[in-house]
Amino acid sequence: MTPEESDNAARAIAKKLITELRSKSNNHTFRELLDKYASQAKPLCPPRHEAWLWLCVIVHRVVEGK
């Protein structure tokens, strides 16, 4: 997988998390959603980082529009 493809995949996971977080029927905290989606992001995450923490950074970048 190229770096561009892995970045796109990580951004897609982040967008799903954001959509679920902003949903009116959501009753989970941001951290609970990070834990839920961390398993999907783990293969994309650099080896020395926690998947949930790395995903948190990606989510914030997507929200900021970067």
Side-chain angles (χ1 to χ4, degrees), residues 14-28:
K15 287 177 184 178
K16 285 194 287 187
L17 189 151
I18 293 165
T19 301
E20 187 171 344
L21 181 65
R22 292 180 177 167
S23 169
K24 298 237 187 248
S25 62
N26 178 36
N27 59 357
H28 298 291

Side-chain angles (χ1 to χ4, degrees), residues 40-55:
Q40 295 176 18
K42 190 164 182 84
L44 306 170
C45 179
R48 293 182 293 162
H49 295 79
E50 294 289 330
W52 68 268
L53 185 58
W54 178 79
L55 182 58

